[in-house]
Coordinates of all heavy atoms in Angstrom, one line a residue:
G166 N 113.5 98.9 99.8 CA 113.8 99.5 101.1 C 114.0 101.0 101.2 O 114.5 101.6 102.2
R167 N 113.4 101.7 100.2 CA 113.7 103.1 100.0 C 112.4 104.0 100.5 O 112.5 105.2 100.7 CB 114.0 103.6 98.7 CG 115.2 102.7 98.1 CD 116.4 103.5 97.7 NE 116.1 104.5 96.6 CZ 116.3 104.2 95.3 NH1 116.5 103.0 94.9 NH2 116.0 105.2 94.5
L168 N 111.3 103.3 100.8 CA 110.1 104.0 101.2 C 110.3 104.2 102.7 O 110.5 103.4 103.5 CB 108.9 103.2 100.9 CG 107.5 103.8 101.3 CD1 107.3 105.1 100.4 CD2 106.4 102.9 101.2
K169 N 110.1 105.5 103.1 CA 110.4 105.8 104.5 C 109.2 106.1 105.4 O 109.3 106.5 106.6 CB 111.4 107.1 104.6 CG 112.7 106.9 103.9 CD 113.5 105.8 104.6 CE 114.8 105.5 103.9 NZ 115.2 104.1 103.9
Y170 N 108.0 106.1 104.9 CA 106.8 106.3 105.7 C 105.7 105.5 105.1 O 105.7 105.1 103.9 CB 106.5 107.7 105.9 CG 106.1 108.6 104.7 CD1 104.9 108.6 104.2 CD2 107.1 109.4 104.1 CE1 104.5 109.4 103.1 CE2 106.8 110.2 103.0 CZ 105.5 110.2 102.5 OH 105.2 111.0 101.4
P171 N 104.7 105.1 105.9 CA 103.6 104.2 105.4 C 102.7 104.9 104.4 O 102.4 106.1 104.5 CB 102.8 103.9 106.7 CG 103.2 105.0 107.7 CD 104.5 105.5 107.4
I172 N 102.2 104.1 103.5 CA 101.3 104.6 102.4 C 100.1 103.7 102.4 O 100.3 102.4 102.4 CB 102.0 104.5 101.1 CG1 103.2 105.4 101.0 CG2 100.9 104.9 100.0 CD1 103.1 106.8 100.8
I173 N 98.9 104.3 102.3 CA 97.7 103.4 102.1 C 97.3 103.5 100.6 O 97.2 104.5 100.1 CB 96.6 103.9 103.0 CG1 96.9 103.8 104.5 CG2 95.3 103.1 102.7 CD1 95.8 104.2 105.4
A174 N 97.3 102.3 100.0 CA 96.9 102.2 98.6 C 95.4 102.3 98.4 O 94.7 101.3 98.3 CB 97.5 100.8 98.1
V175 N 94.9 103.5 98.4 CA 93.5 103.8 98.2 C 93.1 103.1 96.8 O 92.0 102.6 96.8 CB 93.2 105.3 98.2 CG1 91.9 105.6 97.7 CG2 93.4 105.9 99.6
N176 N 93.9 103.2 95.9 CA 93.5 102.6 94.6 C 93.0 101.1 94.7 O 92.2 100.7 94.0 CB 94.7 102.6 93.6 CG 94.3 102.0 92.2 OD1 93.6 102.5 91.5 ND2 94.8 100.7 92.0
D177 N 93.7 100.4 95.7 CA 93.3 99.0 95.7 C 92.1 98.6 96.6 O 91.7 97.5 96.7 CB 94.6 98.2 96.3 CG 95.7 98.3 95.4 OD1 95.6 99.0 94.2 OD2 96.8 97.9 95.7
A178 N 91.4 99.7 97.0 CA 90.1 99.4 97.7 C 89.1 99.0 96.6 O 89.2 99.5 95.5 CB 89.6 100.6 98.3
E179 N 88.3 98.0 96.9 CA 87.4 97.4 95.9 C 86.3 98.6 95.5 O 86.0 98.6 94.3 CB 86.6 96.2 96.4 CG 86.1 95.4 95.4 CD 85.6 94.0 95.8 OE1 85.9 93.6 97.0 OE2 84.8 93.4 95.1
T180 N 86.0 99.4 96.4 CA 85.0 100.5 96.1 C 85.7 101.6 95.3 O 85.1 102.6 95.0 CB 84.3 101.1 97.3 OG1 85.3 101.3 98.3 CG2 83.3 100.1 97.9
K181 N 87.1 101.5 95.1 CA 87.7 102.4 94.2 C 88.0 101.7 92.9 O 87.3 102.1 91.9 CB 89.1 102.8 94.9 CG 89.6 104.0 94.3 CD 90.4 103.8 92.9 CE 91.0 105.1 92.4 NZ 91.7 104.8 91.1
W182 N 88.9 100.7 92.8 CA 89.2 100.2 91.5 C 88.1 99.6 90.7 O 88.1 99.7 89.4 CB 90.5 99.2 91.5 CG 90.2 98.0 92.3 CD1 90.6 97.7 93.5 CD2 89.6 96.8 91.8 NE1 90.3 96.4 93.9 CE2 89.7 95.8 92.8 CE3 89.0 96.4 90.6 CZ2 89.2 94.5 92.7 CZ3 88.6 95.1 90.4 CH2 88.6 94.2 91.5
D183 N 87.2 99.0 91.3 CA 86.1 98.2 90.6 C 85.1 99.2 90.1 O 84.1 98.7 89.5 CB 85.6 97.1 91.5 CG 85.2 95.9 90.7 OD1 85.6 95.9 89.5 OD2 84.7 94.9 91.2
F184 N 85.2 100.4 90.4 CA 84.1 101.5 90.0 C 84.8 102.6 89.2 O 84.6 102.8 88.1 CB 83.4 101.9 91.3 CG 82.6 100.8 91.9 CD1 83.2 100.1 92.8 CD2 81.4 100.4 91.5 CE1 82.6 99.0 93.4 CE2 80.7 99.4 92.1 CZ 81.3 98.6 93.0
D185 N 85.7 103.2 90.0 CA 86.3 104.4 89.4 C 87.2 104.0 88.1 O 87.0 104.6 87.1 CB 87.2 105.0 90.5 CG 88.3 106.0 90.2 OD1 89.1 105.8 89.2 OD2 88.4 107.0 90.9
N186 N 88.1 103.0 88.3 CA 89.0 102.6 87.2 C 88.1 102.1 86.0 O 88.5 102.2 84.8 CB 89.9 101.6 87.6 CG 90.8 102.1 88.8 OD1 90.4 102.9 89.5 ND2 92.0 101.4 88.9
V187 N 87.0 101.4 86.3 CA 86.2 100.7 85.2 C 85.2 101.8 84.6 O 85.4 102.2 83.5 CB 85.4 99.6 85.8 CG1 84.6 98.9 84.6 CG2 86.4 98.6 86.4
Y188 N 84.3 102.3 85.4 CA 83.2 103.1 84.9 C 83.7 104.5 84.7 O 83.3 105.2 83.8 CB 81.9 103.0 85.8 CG 81.5 101.6 86.0 CD1 81.7 101.0 87.2 CD2 81.0 100.8 85.0 CE1 81.4 99.6 87.5 CE2 80.7 99.5 85.1 CZ 80.8 99.0 86.4 OH 80.5 97.6 86.6
G189 N 84.5 105.0 85.7 CA 85.0 106.3 85.5 C 85.9 106.5 84.3 O 85.6 107.4 83.5
T190 N 86.9 105.7 84.2 CA 87.8 105.8 83.1 C 87.1 105.5 81.8 O 87.4 106.1 80.7 CB 89.1 104.8 83.2 OG1 89.6 105.0 84.5 CG2 90.1 105.1 82.2
G191 N 86.2 104.5 81.8 CA 85.6 104.1 80.6 C 84.7 105.2 80.0 O 85.0 105.6 78.8
Q192 N 83.9 105.8 80.9 CA 83.1 106.8 80.3 C 83.8 108.2 80.0 O 83.7 108.7 79.0 CB 82.0 107.2 81.4 CG 81.1 108.4 80.9 CD 79.9 108.6 81.8 OE1 79.2 107.6 82.2 NE2 79.5 109.8 82.1
S193 N 84.8 108.6 80.9 CA 85.4 109.8 80.7 C 86.4 109.8 79.6 O 86.7 110.8 78.9 CB 86.1 110.4 82.0 OG 87.0 109.4 82.5
S194 N 87.0 108.6 79.3 CA 87.9 108.6 78.2 C 87.2 108.7 76.8 O 87.7 109.4 76.0 CB 88.7 107.2 78.2 OG 89.5 107.1 79.4
L195 N 86.1 108.1 76.7 CA 85.3 108.3 75.5 C 84.8 109.7 75.4 O 84.8 110.3 74.3 CB 84.2 107.3 75.5 CG 84.6 105.8 75.3 CD1 83.4 104.9 75.0 CD2 85.7 105.6 74.2
D196 N 84.4 110.2 76.5 CA 84.0 111.6 76.6 C 85.1 112.6 76.0 O 84.9 113.4 75.2 CB 83.7 112.0 78.1 CG 83.1 113.4 78.3 OD1 82.8 114.1 77.2 OD2 83.1 113.9 79.4
G197 N 86.4 112.3 76.5 CA 87.5 113.2 76.1 C 87.7 112.9 74.5 O 87.9 113.9 73.8
I198 N 87.6 111.7 74.0 CA 87.8 111.5 72.7 C 86.8 112.2 71.8 O 87.0 112.8 70.8 CB 87.9 109.9 72.4 CG1 89.1 109.3 73.0 CG2 87.8 109.6 70.8 CD1 89.2 107.8 73.0
L199 N 85.6 112.1 72.3 CA 84.4 112.7 71.6 C 84.5 114.2 71.6 O 84.3 114.9 70.5 CB 83.0 112.3 72.1 CG 82.8 110.7 71.9 CD1 81.4 110.4 72.5 CD2 82.9 110.4 70.4
R200 N 84.9 114.8 72.7 CA 85.1 116.3 72.7 C 86.1 116.7 71.8 O 86.1 117.8 71.2 CB 85.4 116.8 74.1 CG 84.2 116.6 75.1 CD 84.4 117.4 76.4 NE 83.6 116.9 77.5 CZ 83.4 117.5 78.7 NH1 84.0 118.6 78.9 NH2 82.7 116.9 79.6
A201 N 87.2 116.0 71.7 CA 88.4 116.3 70.8 C 88.1 116.0 69.5 O 88.8 116.6 68.6 CB 89.6 115.6 71.3
T202 N 87.2 115.2 69.1 CA 87.1 114.8 67.7 C 85.6 114.9 67.1 O 85.4 115.1 66.0 CB 87.5 113.3 67.5 OG1 86.6 112.5 68.3 CG2 88.9 113.1 67.9
N203 N 84.6 114.6 68.0 CA 83.2 114.4 67.6 C 83.0 113.5 66.5 O 82.2 113.6 65.7 CB 82.7 115.8 67.2 CG 81.1 115.8 67.1 OD1 80.5 115.1 67.9 ND2 80.6 116.5 66.2
I204 N 83.8 112.4 66.5 CA 83.6 111.3 65.6 C 82.5 110.4 66.0 O 82.2 110.3 67.2 CB 84.9 110.5 65.2 CG1 85.5 110.1 66.6 CG2 85.8 111.3 64.3 CD1 86.8 109.2 66.3
L205 N 82.0 109.7 65.0 CA 81.0 108.6 65.3 C 81.7 107.3 65.7 O 82.6 106.9 65.1 CB 80.1 108.3 64.1 CG 79.1 107.4 64.2 CD1 77.9 108.0 65.0 CD2 78.5 106.8 62.9
L206 N 81.3 106.8 66.8 CA 81.9 105.5 67.3 C 81.3 104.3 66.7 O 82.0 103.3 66.6 CB 81.9 105.5 68.8 CG 82.8 106.4 69.6 CD1 82.5 106.3 71.1 CD2 84.2 106.0 69.4
A207 N 80.0 104.4 66.4 CA 79.3 103.3 65.9 C 80.0 102.7 64.6 O 80.3 103.5 63.7 CB 77.9 103.6 65.5
G208 N 80.3 101.5 64.6 CA 80.9 100.8 63.4 C 82.4 101.1 63.3 O 83.1 100.5 62.4
K209 N 83.0 101.8 64.2 CA 84.4 102.0 64.2 C 85.2 100.9 64.8 O 84.7 100.2 65.7 CB 84.9 103.2 64.9 CG 84.4 104.6 64.3 CD 85.3 104.9 63.1 CE 85.1 106.3 62.5 NZ 83.7 106.8 62.5
N210 N 86.4 100.6 64.3 CA 87.3 99.7 64.9 C 88.1 100.4 66.1 O 89.0 101.2 65.8 CB 88.3 99.0 64.0 CG 87.7 98.0 63.0 OD1 86.6 97.5 63.5 ND2 88.2 97.9 61.9
V211 N 87.7 100.0 67.4 CA 88.5 100.7 68.4 C 89.4 99.6 69.0 O 89.0 98.5 69.4 CB 87.4 101.1 69.5 CG1 88.1 101.5 70.9 CG2 86.6 102.3 69.0
V212 N 90.7 100.1 69.1 CA 91.7 99.1 69.7 C 92.0 99.6 71.1 O 92.4 100.7 71.3 CB 93.0 99.1 68.8 CG1 94.0 98.2 69.5 CG2 92.6 98.6 67.4
V213 N 91.7 98.8 72.1 CA 92.0 99.1 73.5 C 93.3 98.4 73.9 O 93.3 97.1 73.8 CB 90.8 98.6 74.4 CG1 91.2 98.9 75.9 CG2 89.6 99.4 74.0
V214 N 94.3 99.1 74.3 CA 95.6 98.5 74.5 C 95.7 98.4 76.0 O 95.8 99.4 76.7 CB 96.7 99.3 73.9 CG1 98.0 98.6 74.0 CG2 96.4 99.8 72.5
G215 N 95.7 97.2 76.6 CA 95.7 96.9 78.0 C 94.3 96.6 78.5 O 93.4 97.4 78.3
Y216 N 94.1 95.4 79.1 CA 92.9 95.0 79.6 C 92.9 94.9 81.1 O 92.5 93.9 81.6 CB 92.4 93.7 78.8 CG 90.9 93.5 79.0 CD1 90.0 94.2 78.2 CD2 90.4 92.3 79.7 CE1 88.6 94.0 78.4 CE2 89.1 92.1 79.8 CZ 88.2 92.9 79.1 OH 86.8 92.7 79.2
G217 N 93.4 95.9 81.7 CA 93.3 95.9 83.2 C 91.9 96.5 83.5 O 90.9 96.5 82.6
H218 N 91.8 97.1 84.6 CA 90.4 97.6 85.0 C 90.0 98.8 84.1 O 88.9 99.0 83.7 CB 90.4 98.1 86.4 CG 91.0 97.0 87.4 ND1 90.4 95.8 87.5 CD2 92.0 97.1 88.3 CE1 91.1 95.0 88.4 NE2 92.1 95.8 88.8
C219 N 91.0 99.7 83.8 CA 90.7 100.8 83.0 C 90.3 100.3 81.6 O 89.3 100.8 81.0 CB 91.9 101.8 83.0 SG 92.2 102.5 84.5
G220 N 91.2 99.5 81.0 CA 90.9 99.0 79.7 C 89.6 98.2 79.6 O 88.8 98.4 78.6
R221 N 89.2 97.5 80.6 CA 88.0 96.8 80.7 C 86.8 97.8 80.6 O 85.8 97.6 79.8 CB 87.8 96.1 82.0 CG 86.5 95.4 82.2 CD 86.6 94.1 83.1 NE 87.0 94.4 84.4 CZ 86.1 94.6 85.3 NH1 84.8 94.6 85.2 NH2 86.5 94.9 86.6
G222 N 86.9 98.9 81.3 CA 85.8 100.0 81.3 C 85.8 100.6 79.9 O 84.6 100.9 79.4
I223 N 86.9 100.9 79.3 CA 86.9 101.6 78.0 C 86.3 100.7 76.9 O 85.5 101.1 76.2 CB 88.4 101.9 77.6 CG1 88.9 103.0 78.7 CG2 88.4 102.5 76.2 CD1 90.4 103.2 78.5
A224 N 86.8 99.4 77.0 CA 86.2 98.4 76.0 C 84.7 98.3 76.1 O 84.0 98.3 75.1 CB 86.8 97.1 76.2
L225 N 84.2 98.2 77.4 CA 82.8 98.1 77.6 C 82.0 99.2 77.1 O 81.0 99.0 76.4 CB 82.6 98.0 79.2 CG 81.3 97.7 79.9 CD1 81.1 96.2 79.6 CD2 81.4 97.9 81.4
R226 N 82.5 100.5 77.4 CA 81.7 101.6 76.9 C 81.9 101.8 75.4 O 80.9 102.3 74.7 CB 82.3 102.9 77.7 CG 81.9 102.9 79.1 CD 80.3 102.8 79.3 NE 79.9 102.7 80.6 CZ 79.3 101.6 81.2 NH1 79.0 100.6 80.5 NH2 78.9 101.7 82.5
A227 N 83.0 101.5 74.8 CA 83.2 101.6 73.3 C 82.2 100.6 72.6 O 81.5 101.0 71.7 CB 84.6 101.3 72.9
R228 N 82.1 99.4 73.2 CA 81.2 98.4 72.5 C 79.7 98.9 72.7 O 78.9 98.8 71.8 CB 81.3 97.1 73.3 CG 80.3 96.1 72.7 CD 80.8 94.6 73.0 NE 80.7 94.3 74.4 CZ 81.1 93.2 74.8 NH1 81.7 92.2 74.0 NH2 81.1 92.8 76.1
G229 N 79.4 99.5 73.9 CA 78.1 100.1 74.1 C 77.7 101.2 73.1 O 76.6 101.4 72.9
M230 N 78.7 101.8 72.5 CA 78.4 102.9 71.6 C 78.5 102.3 70.2 O 78.5 103.0 69.2 CB 79.5 104.0 71.7 CG 79.4 104.8 73.1 SD 78.1 105.9 73.2 CE 78.8 107.3 72.4
G231 N 78.6 101.0 70.0 CA 78.5 100.4 68.7 C 79.8 100.2 67.9 O 79.8 99.9 66.8
A232 N 80.9 100.3 68.7 CA 82.2 100.1 68.1 C 82.6 98.6 68.1 O 82.1 97.9 68.9 CB 83.4 100.9 68.8
N233 N 83.4 98.2 67.2 CA 84.0 96.8 67.1 C 85.2 96.9 68.0 O 86.2 97.7 67.5 CB 84.4 96.4 65.7 CG 83.2 96.4 64.8 OD1 82.1 95.8 65.1 ND2 83.3 97.1 63.7
V234 N 85.3 96.2 69.1 CA 86.5 96.4 69.9 C 87.5 95.3 69.8 O 87.1 94.1 69.8 CB 86.0 96.5 71.4 CG1 87.1 96.6 72.4 CG2 85.0 97.7 71.6
T235 N 88.7 95.7 69.7 CA 89.8 94.8 69.7 C 90.7 95.1 70.9 O 90.9 96.3 71.2 CB 90.7 95.0 68.4 OG1 89.8 94.6 67.2 CG2 91.9 94.0 68.3
V236 N 91.3 94.0 71.5 CA 92.1 94.2 72.7 C 93.4 93.7 72.4 O 93.6 92.6 71.8 CB 91.5 93.5 73.9 CG1 92.5 93.4 75.1 CG2 90.1 94.2 74.3
C237 N 94.5 94.5 72.8 CA 95.9 94.1 72.8 C 96.3 93.9 74.3 O 96.1 94.8 75.1 CB 96.8 95.0 72.1 SG 96.3 95.4 70.4
E238 N 97.0 92.8 74.6 CA 97.4 92.5 76.0 C 98.7 91.8 75.9 O 99.1 91.1 74.9 CB 96.4 91.6 76.7 CG 95.7 92.2 77.9 CD 96.6 92.8 78.9 OE1 97.7 92.3 79.1 OE2 96.2 93.7 79.6
V239 N 99.4 91.9 77.1 CA 100.7 90.9 77.2 C 100.4 89.8 78.3 O 101.1 88.9 78.3 CB 101.9 91.8 77.6 CG1 102.4 92.7 76.4 CG2 101.6 92.6 78.9
D240 N 99.4 90.1 79.1 CA 99.2 89.1 80.2 C 98.1 88.1 79.7 O 97.0 88.4 79.3 CB 98.6 90.0 81.4 CG 98.1 89.1 82.5 OD1 97.7 88.0 82.3 OD2 98.3 89.5 83.7
P241 N 98.5 86.8 79.7 CA 97.6 85.8 79.1 C 96.3 85.7 79.8 O 95.3 85.4 79.2 CB 98.4 84.5 79.2 CG 99.5 84.7 80.3 CD 99.8 86.2 80.3
I242 N 96.2 85.9 81.1 CA 95.0 85.8 81.8 C 94.0 87.0 81.4 O 92.8 86.8 81.1 CB 95.2 85.8 83.4 CG1 96.0 84.5 83.8 CG2 93.8 85.7 84.1 CD1 96.4 84.4 85.2
K243 N 94.6 88.1 81.4 CA 93.8 89.4 81.0 C 93.3 89.1 79.5 O 92.2 89.4 79.2 CB 94.6 90.6 81.2 CG 94.8 91.0 82.6 CD 95.4 92.3 82.7 CE 95.6 92.7 84.2 NZ 96.9 93.3 84.5
A244 N 94.2 88.7 78.7 CA 93.9 88.4 77.3 C 92.6 87.4 77.1 O 91.8 87.6 76.5 CB 95.1 87.9 76.5
L245 N 92.8 86.4 78.0 CA 91.7 85.4 78.0 C 90.4 86.0 78.5 O 89.3 85.7 77.9 CB 92.1 84.3 78.9 CG 91.6 82.8 78.7 CD1 91.7 82.4 77.3 CD2 92.3 81.9 79.6
K246 N 90.5 86.8 79.5 CA 89.2 87.5 79.9 C 88.6 88.3 78.7 O 87.4 88.3 78.6 CB 89.5 88.5 81.0 CG 89.8 87.7 82.4 CD 90.0 88.7 83.5 CE 90.3 88.1 84.8 NZ 90.6 88.9 85.9
A247 N 89.4 89.0 78.0 CA 88.9 89.9 76.9 C 88.3 89.0 75.8 O 87.3 89.2 75.3 CB 90.1 90.6 76.4
V248 N 88.9 87.8 75.5 CA 88.4 86.9 74.6 C 87.0 86.4 75.0 O 86.1 86.4 74.2 CB 89.3 85.6 74.4 CG1 88.7 84.5 73.6 CG2 90.7 86.0 73.8
M249 N 86.9 86.0 76.2 CA 85.7 85.5 76.7 C 84.6 86.5 76.9 O 83.4 86.2 77.0 CB 85.9 84.7 78.0 CG 86.8 83.6 77.8 SD 86.3 82.0 78.3 CE 87.6 80.9 77.8
E250 N 85.1 87.7 77.0 CA 84.0 88.9 77.0 C 83.5 89.2 75.6 O 82.6 89.9 75.4 CB 84.7 90.1 77.6 CG 83.9 91.1 78.2 CD 82.8 90.6 79.2 OE1 83.2 89.9 80.2 OE2 81.6 90.8 78.9
G251 N 84.2 88.5 74.6 CA 83.7 88.6 73.3 C 84.4 89.6 72.4 O 84.0 89.9 71.3
Y252 N 85.6 90.1 72.9 CA 86.4 91.0 72.0 C 87.4 90.2 71.2 O 87.8 89.1 71.6 CB 87.2 92.0 73.0 CG 86.3 92.8 73.8 CD1 86.4 92.7 75.3 CD2 85.3 93.6 73.4 CE1 85.6 93.4 76.1 CE2 84.5 94.4 74.2 CZ 84.7 94.3 75.6 OH 83.9 94.9 76.5

Side-chain angles (χ1 to χ4, degrees):
R167 307 238 302 271
L168 182 67
K169 300 290 177 224
Y170 62 85
I172 301 280
I173 299 181
V175 167
N176 178 71
D177 296 355
E179 200 170 345
T180 46
K181 198 281 182 183
W182 64 260
D183 217 5
F184 298 88
D185 167 314
N186 302 25
V187 181
Y188 308 107
T190 310
Q192 177 171 317
S193 61
S194 299
L195 293 188
D196 183 12
I198 291 169
L199 293 179
R200 290 193 205 194
T202 62
N203 195 33
I204 50 175
L205 183 74
L206 286 174
K209 291 285 191 320
N210 286 334
V211 170
V212 178
V213 178
V214 195
Y216 196 69
H218 310 303
C219 296
R221 175 153 69 86
I223 295 166
L225 190 67
R226 291 300 178 244
R228 177 157 71 184
M230 297 283 276
N233 302 307
V234 176
T235 297
V236 169
C237 299
E238 242 309 331
V239 290
D240 177 324
I242 299 177
K243 290 187 178 136
L245 205 50
K246 287 185 184 173
V248 171
M249 299 230 177
E250 205 48 58
Y252 303 118

